[in-house]
Every structure is written in structure tokens, then in C-alpha cells.
């Protein structure tokens, strides 16, 4: 669909969804974002848009010589990884409970972490220099080095997941969603708090949108920590993907893995749009430059998409990061039961207890409708359906 233009304050808002389908609080947030004096051209809003802390989830914001840490989110570098295997559905066992258990045994979920560090030179060759850079992060997190090392290669909770999927050709995929874990959250919270104290943010319509300005020590400190956390998130997904692939390799010695796909969807990128160098924050959005591969997941009982970007300039070459929530976690818990969850995840080997009812498919938007709304942003490479889903 073509974007709908809504008049904003300083810049307009381009939406790849109907404005009347956006919740009131989210629309108010978007108006506040559009009032930022550093905003360039317009605000791009993805079809999975929904209310978020500070900045709206599903927003793409290009700022001139400024960046808002809340427009990145507290899970810095959160994103997706996926790999297609040579296996087909017929290679999988009749019951998938054992496979799920073996995967859960190697990837800690929720608040759990590895007893011994899980990263190896199979994942990257420069771990020593990566961890050395930890010492240059803000002193506020200096006591967290050991925790960060043991959380490397862990899933976390909430909407993070690890899945085995089938595409329409019945080929088996591994897909996962996670970010920078506790260390990324602590770095984000620290810098959001610092930004709120700066004088140039005093008159903003929402103090959570506080920005750092280019050429200041606060901006330099944030960007240093931000890029380290984004790297942490990318490595975290790579370690988990290797751990799960090792499980499959032990089960199916003949298996072959294709080149993995990886993408952030909560991050900052230095880019050029409309002839201007800008800092782009994507919060709940992937980069979809022409020809670039991306991953757009649905909820745990529906399906997901591997996509190729079309490089639409009006979206700042972006697309949605998933289906997007249509109700809060609290509302989902009050609306649905464990029985509803079991019904909506029929055919998927996964948790079906009250502890994950807030992740029920009914709490999310229709992924196929979201995809239809962004047909000018991405083209579909493959549609996947979960057969195993692991959540914290």
C-alpha cells in the first residue's frame, strides 16, 4: 500500500497502515516525535506500529546531528537470525518434544545464563578485543562484566524466541529473536537518564524523547556504548544459532546449513537519505535497502517471512520488524487462558501454560495483513511456519 501522510508538528508522519487503526497513545507519541526540531523530512511508521516507552515501536526516525536513546529502545540491537538447512519435514521425528528439550538444554531462557561461557572461536575470532572494550563502557556497568559474558548466547524472555520452522517447500529453518540481554538494557537505561538531564531537552513535549547532540561528550559516550551493545546483540544471536545448529548436526549428521541471515530491529545507523547524512533510529523496524535480506516474524502460532528489501526511500529504506502487538501483556493475560493458548498454537511443539499466555497469537496483529501493507517496502522470499517454538 502507499503510505498515508498525517500532518505532524515539525515534520509530517508517513504511515504504512491506516491512521484509525493506530491506538491513541501511539498516535500521540508519533506527534511528539514529529515535533523534534532535529527531525529530517518525515517520520516513517511501519504497519506493526504500537505504543512503546518514549518512542513508538515501529517508528523510523532520521535526525540531523542528534540521536534519541529512547527511539532505539532498552534492548539495544534486538533483532533476528535465521538459517535454512538441507533437512526437509520428512527428516524430522514424528514427535518434536525431544528436539525441543535438547535445544532448551543448550540455550538458557528467561533469567538463566550459561554456567560456563558459551562463546568460542567458531563464533568469532576477536573475542579478546571485544571483551577488552567492555572496560571502556560507562562506569555504571563496570561490575557487570562476568554477567555479560555468561549471558552471551542466551535467549531471555518476553517476546524473544527460538524456533524450528518449515517453508512452503518443506525445508527446515532455524530462527531466533533476541538482543543485548541485561547489559544492553542497563546501558540504555543509563543513557536515557543522562539525556533527560540535559538543558536542551527541557522544552520537549515528552522528556523520554530526550536527545544527545553531535559534538558533545554525552553523545560520544552514548554512541560508543551503543555500538558495543549492538555488536553484543549480533554476537549473542550468532552464538545461539551455532549452539542450536550443533544440536541438529548431532541429530542429523548429513545436515548442511546455508549462509545465515541476521538483522537488527532496535538500533542506530549512520546513513544518507534525501541527500543528507543523518542518524537513523529504527525501533521495531528492519533496514530494507534494495536487495537486502531481512526477517519479519509473526507470533508463536502463525508464521514468519524472509524478505528482500525494495529500498523505498520514503520509509528510509525500512520495513516492519514483526506482527506487532495489538494488546498489552496485561490485557492479554486478562483476555486469554492457557486453553486459548493451546488452541491457537495447535501443531506447534511449545509451552502452552499460563506463564506465556501474554505471547498468545491473539495478542498480536495479523502478520499477513502487516505484510500486505508493506508490499512496496519488501518482497517475500520465503514464508515460514513454526513447528517448534521455545520461549522463556
Amino acid at each position: 500500500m502507499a503510505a498515508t501522510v498525517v500532518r505532524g508538528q515539525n515534520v509530517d508522519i508517513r504511515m504504512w497502515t491506516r491512521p484509525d487503526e493506530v491506538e491513541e497513545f501511539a498516535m500521540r507519541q508519533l506527534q511528539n516525535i514529529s515535533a523534534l526540531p532535529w527531525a529530517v523530512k518525515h517520520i516513517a511508521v511501519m504497519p506493526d506500529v504500537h505504543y512503546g516507552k518514549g518512542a513508538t515501536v515501529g517508528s523510523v526516525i532520521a535526525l540531523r546531528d542528534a540521536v534519541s536513546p529512547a527511539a532505539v529502545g532498552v534492548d539495544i540491537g534486538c533483532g533476528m537470525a535465521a538459517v535454512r538447512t538441507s533437512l526437509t519435514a520428512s527428516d524430522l521425528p514424528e514427535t518434536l518434544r525431544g528436539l525441543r528439550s535438547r535445544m532448551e538444554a543448550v540455550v538458557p531462557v528467561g533469567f538463566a545464563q550459561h554456567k560456563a561461557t558459551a562463546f568460542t572461536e567458531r563464533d568469532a575470532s576477536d573475542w579478546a578485543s571485544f571483551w577488552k572494550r567492555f572496560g571502556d563502557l560507562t562506569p555504571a556497568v563496570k561490575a557487570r562484566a562476568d554477567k555479560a559474558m555468561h549471558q552471551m548466547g542466551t535467549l531471555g524472555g518476553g517476546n524473544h524466541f527460538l524456533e524450528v520452522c518449515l517453508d512452503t517447500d518443506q525445508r527446515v529453518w532455524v530462527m531466533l529473536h533476541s538482543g543485548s540481554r541485561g547489559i544492553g538494557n542497563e546501558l540504555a537505561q543509563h543513557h536515557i537518564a543522562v539525556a533527560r538531564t540535559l538543558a536542551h531537552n527541557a522544552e520537549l513535549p515528552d522528556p523520554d524523547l530526550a536527545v544527545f547532540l553531535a559534538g558533545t561528550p554525552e553523545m560520544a559516550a552514548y554512541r560508543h556504548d551503543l555500538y558495543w551493545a549492538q555488536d553484543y546483540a549480533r554476537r549473542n544471536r550468532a552464538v545461539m544459532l551455532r549452539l542450536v545448529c550443533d544440536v541438529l548436526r548431532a541429530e542429523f549428521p548429513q545436515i548442511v546449513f546455508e549462509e545465515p541471515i541476521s538483522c537488527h530491529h532496535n538500533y542506530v545507523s549512520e546513513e544518507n537519505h534525501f541527500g543528507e547524512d543523518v542518524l537513523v533510529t529504527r525501533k521495531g523496524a528492519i533496514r530494507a535497502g534494495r536487495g537486502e535480506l531481512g526477517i519479519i516474524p509473526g507470533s508463536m502460532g502463525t508464521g514468519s517471512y524472509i524478505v528482500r528489501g525494495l529500498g523505498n526511500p520514503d520509509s528510509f529504506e525500512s520495513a516492519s520488524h514483526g506482527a506487532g502487538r495489538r494488546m498489552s501483556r496485561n490485557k492479554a493475560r486478562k483476555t486469554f487462558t492457557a486453553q486459548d493458548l493451546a488452541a491457537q498454537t495447535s501443531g506447534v511443539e511449545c509451552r502452552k501454560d499460563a506463564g506465556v499466555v501474554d505471547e498468545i497469537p491473539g495478542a498480536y496483529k495479523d502478520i499477513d495483513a502487516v505484510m500486505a501493507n508493506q508490499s512496496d517496502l519488501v518482497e517475500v522470499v520465503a514464508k515460514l511456519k513454526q513447528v517448534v517454538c521455545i520461549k522463556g
Side-chain angles (χ1 to χ4, degrees):
M1 65 175 285
T4 299
V5 179
V6 174
R7 184 170 296 280
Q9 316 255 340
N10 181 46
V11 294
D12 286 340
I13 305 166
R14 285 185 174 266
M15 311 183 71
W16 275 263
T17 189
R18 286 170 41 189
D20 61 357
E21 294 182 347
V22 180
E23 61 205 296
E24 179 184 350
F25 287 129
M27 187 61 81
R28 193 178 305 161
Q29 277 188 327
L30 292 169
Q31 285 290 342
N32 287 341
I33 295 168
S34 76
L36 292 175
W38 308 276
V40 172
K41 199 68 176 178
H42 55 260
I43 308 302
V45 179
M46 302 298 100
D48 59 341
V49 58
H50 58 93
Y51 178 79
K53 173 69 173 176
T56 322
V57 178
S59 60
V60 183
I61 308 165
L63 297 183
R64 180 185 299 108
D65 296 328
V67 67
S68 170
V72 180
V74 293
D75 192 358
I76 297 171
C78 186
M80 301 289 303
V83 62
R84 189 166 86 146
T85 80
S86 59
L87 300 178
T88 63
S90 61
D91 295 314
L92 297 177
E94 187 173 336
T95 174
L96 296 169
R97 179 70 57 86
L99 180 59
R100 173 188 159 198
S101 295
R102 286 186 285 279
M103 292 165 63
E104 289 174 331
V106 299
V107 176
V109 302
F111 294 106
Q113 60 188 42
H114 290 284
K115 293 179 181 178
T117 56
F119 53 90
T120 74
E121 289 191 356
R122 293 174 60 196
D123 310 308
S125 61
D126 59 343
W127 287 109
S129 62
F130 172 75
W131 290 116
K132 185 178 181 180
R133 296 202 305 274
F134 187 97
D136 298 326
L137 300 176
T138 173
V141 301
K142 67 179 181 180
R144 301 299 191 188
D146 186 70
K147 180 180 179 181
M149 293 177 76
H150 286 82
Q151 282 194 327
M152 177 64 73
T154 66
L155 191 66
N159 63 353
H160 293 164
F161 62 78
L162 168 59
E163 293 181 339
V164 177
C165 306
L166 299 176
D167 64 21
T168 53
D169 294 327
Q170 298 300 289
R171 289 282 290 274
V172 174
W173 290 68
V174 177
M175 184 167 69
L176 60 87
H177 171 211
S178 190
S180 53
R181 306 297 288 110
I183 188 63
N185 182 290
E186 290 193 42
L187 288 169
Q189 298 283 10
H190 168 79
H191 288 288
I192 289 171
V194 170
R196 289 172 64 109
T197 68
L198 301 177
H200 62 258
N201 293 313
E203 302 301 320
L204 293 181
D206 181 352
D208 280 330
L209 289 175
V211 306
F212 295 119
L213 298 180
T216 64
E218 294 86 1
M219 170 71 106
Y222 175 62
R223 290 177 71 176
H224 173 274
D225 292 358
L226 168 86
Y227 293 146
W228 185 89
Q230 289 180 181
D231 192 18
Y232 183 105
R234 178 186 59 81
R235 291 167 183 260
N236 183 46
R237 292 191 290 272
V239 173
M240 282 189 284
L241 202 59
R242 189 260 304 163
L243 290 169
V244 174
C245 288
D246 282 351
V247 169
L248 292 176
R249 195 175 282 112
E251 188 103 356
F252 309 99
Q254 80 282 10
I255 193 170
V256 176
F257 298 97
E258 297 185 1
E259 189 69 23
I261 304 167
S262 181
C263 60
H264 292 320
H265 54 225
N266 283 12
Y267 74 114
V268 176
S269 181
E270 301 171 30
E271 300 177 8
N272 186 284
H273 292 279
F274 301 100
E276 186 168 356
D277 291 333
V278 290
L279 287 166
V280 177
T281 54
R282 294 184 175 92
K283 183 176 183 178
I286 62 171
R287 181 172 166 84
R290 180 164 295 279
E292 294 179 349
L293 291 175
I295 308 165
I296 302 178
S299 57
M300 61 192 290
T302 54
S304 300
Y305 288 87
I306 306 298
V307 299
R308 184 178 290 108
L310 297 177
N312 189 318
D314 287 337
S315 70
F316 299 106
E317 300 187 357
S318 307
S320 80
H321 83 312
R325 298 194 72 92
R326 69 180 184 90
M327 65 175 64
S328 69
R329 294 186 181 279
N330 285 336
K331 185 176 180 181
R333 294 187 191 101
K334 294 175 181 177
T335 303
F336 298 106
T337 65
Q339 289 74 27
D340 295 324
L341 176 63
Q344 293 186 26
T345 58
S346 177
V348 182
E349 174 56 48
C350 64
R351 286 180 62 183
K352 300 179 190 286
D353 57 89
V356 290
V357 163
D358 56 343
E359 282 294 300
I360 191 170
Y364 284 83
K365 297 178 181 179
D366 180 348
I367 184 63
D368 292 324
V370 168
M371 294 301 298
N373 283 352
Q374 55 186 340
S375 59
D376 61 336
L377 305 184
V378 293
E379 60 182 2
V380 174
V381 173
K383 183 175 183 179
L384 312 183
K385 177 69 175 71
Q386 306 94 325
V387 291
V388 176
C389 179
I390 294 170
K391 280 188 174 286

